[in-house]
Amino acid sequence: MLDIREIRKNAEAIQARLATRGGDAQELINEVLVCDQRRRAIETEKQQLQAERKSSSKEIGALMGQGKTEEAETAKAAVKMIGDKIKILELEVDAVESRQNHLLMSIPNVPHAECPVGLTEDDNPEVRVWGEKPAIAEPLDHVQIAEKHGLIDFDAAAKISGSGFAVYRRAGARLERALISFLLDLQTEEHGYTEVNVPHIIRRYCMEGTGQLPKFEDDMYGLEDNAMFLAPTAEVPVTNLLRETLLAESELPIKMTAQTPCFRREAGSAGRDNKGIIRMHQFDKVELVQAVHPDESLKVLEELTGHAEAVLQKLGLHYRTIELCTGDVGFSATKTYDIEVWAPGQGKYLEVSSCSSFGDYQARRLRLRFKDADGKNRFCHTLNGSATALPRLYVALLEQNQNPDGSITIPEALVPYFGKTEIS
């Protein structure tokens, strides 16, 4: 969440940056300030009453010592009235604090000053392109390829769970497993991430800690009256491994990676990229998470994006990287790059990774801090990126590597994991 002290000092500047996102988030800043002023006024009044009660209590003791029982009883009644007023103020301050906290949790992060200004994905500038589109005269899409080779069974999945799910069979299942192993080995062995295996059921406060709640509750699969949730991404459990932690500066950066299934309702996405496995309710993903010194976060974002891009480069898959404009950047993010892989059978690019810096936005929610060289406790900056989402990587691999005879070439880097050079 945003720092209330910064809001007090720089409200107009924060509102101006939030306005570049579109919507009305900037208007909530005024409501936060109203709550903050009322809360501070109540606290001041409460402190004055507490001081008055303390003074009166001493006076009661003196009166009792002097044998002035009647005056003492009158003073006791006055002290009780002060106590009743304090209790009323405490209830009011709790309500105001609750409202202020809800507002702060509902305000998105402020886009970084370097974030390109725009309102929609059409305003996202292309940063770089790697490789060339493969020359395939009449490309099949991944559904046709999967059908031809018996890789994915959508009908069986529908019987079990409905639409938006898939059953991988034979070489299809082996390919999924090979990709996961390849992705994890790449990030741990070449880029220095520590692999972790985390729970897939997550407490509500952990979802709030990384910013999934309250904004995106309708997209999540909730359990026990939404006290717990199925993991929407490994970002949530992995980042929460660091919650309520005070690190030594020498421990930074912390780099972790994990593969988890991801569960999303995809509310409101009907009709968008719903063919095959492009948009799923359950899918696997390898995630990268870092906690870093604030001075390093933008540099690390470039490095982390490179770690995700390395996946596609090693697999020889053509892709492009775009930077998200202020109107398209995620709720908790301050600066984001999306990596989009080319899918010939779709005739378009598909987002396969999103790499973001969150500044101290998540760290404030998580109370993730480090002690700097001066002994001051400061909030870390957090980052994460998909490296990568399996379904769309799977789509691009099948569609970019299809051959005229119907076979699928397995990229050289993947052969040790898959065990064969092609699917035929």
Side-chain angles (χ1 to χ4, degrees), residues 149 151 171-172 175 398 406-410 418 420-424:
H149 296 285
L151 306 179
L175 180 59
L398 293 181
S407 65
I408 306 298
T409 300
I410 300 300
F418 186 67
K420 297 180 179 180
T421 59
E422 69 173 22
I423 297 173
S424 58

Side-chain angles (χ1 to χ4, degrees), residues 148-222:
K148 177 181 177 67
H149 296 285
L151 306 179
I152 305 173
D153 190 336
F154 294 103
D155 291 337
K159 290 177 183 177
I160 299 169
S161 305
S163 63
F165 298 87
V167 171
Y168 296 87
R169 294 189 185 275
R170 295 179 289 277
R174 186 180 184 86
L175 180 59
E176 173 92 347
R177 176 161 54 91
L179 283 168
I180 291 170
S181 296
F182 162 71
L183 296 175
L184 288 171
D185 284 354
L186 171 61
Q187 302 305 335
T188 56
E189 295 174 8
E190 296 194 21
H191 299 147
Y193 290 84
T194 298
E195 183 178 349
V196 293
N197 192 322
V198 291
H200 305 156
I201 297 178
I202 303 166
R203 294 183 184 274
R204 185 180 185 88
Y205 62 76
C206 291
M207 297 282 281
E208 292 172 342
T210 47
Q212 273 70 27
L213 298 181
K215 175 71 173 177
F216 302 109
E217 190 154 350
D218 288 346
D219 277 333
M220 306 302 155
Y221 282 100

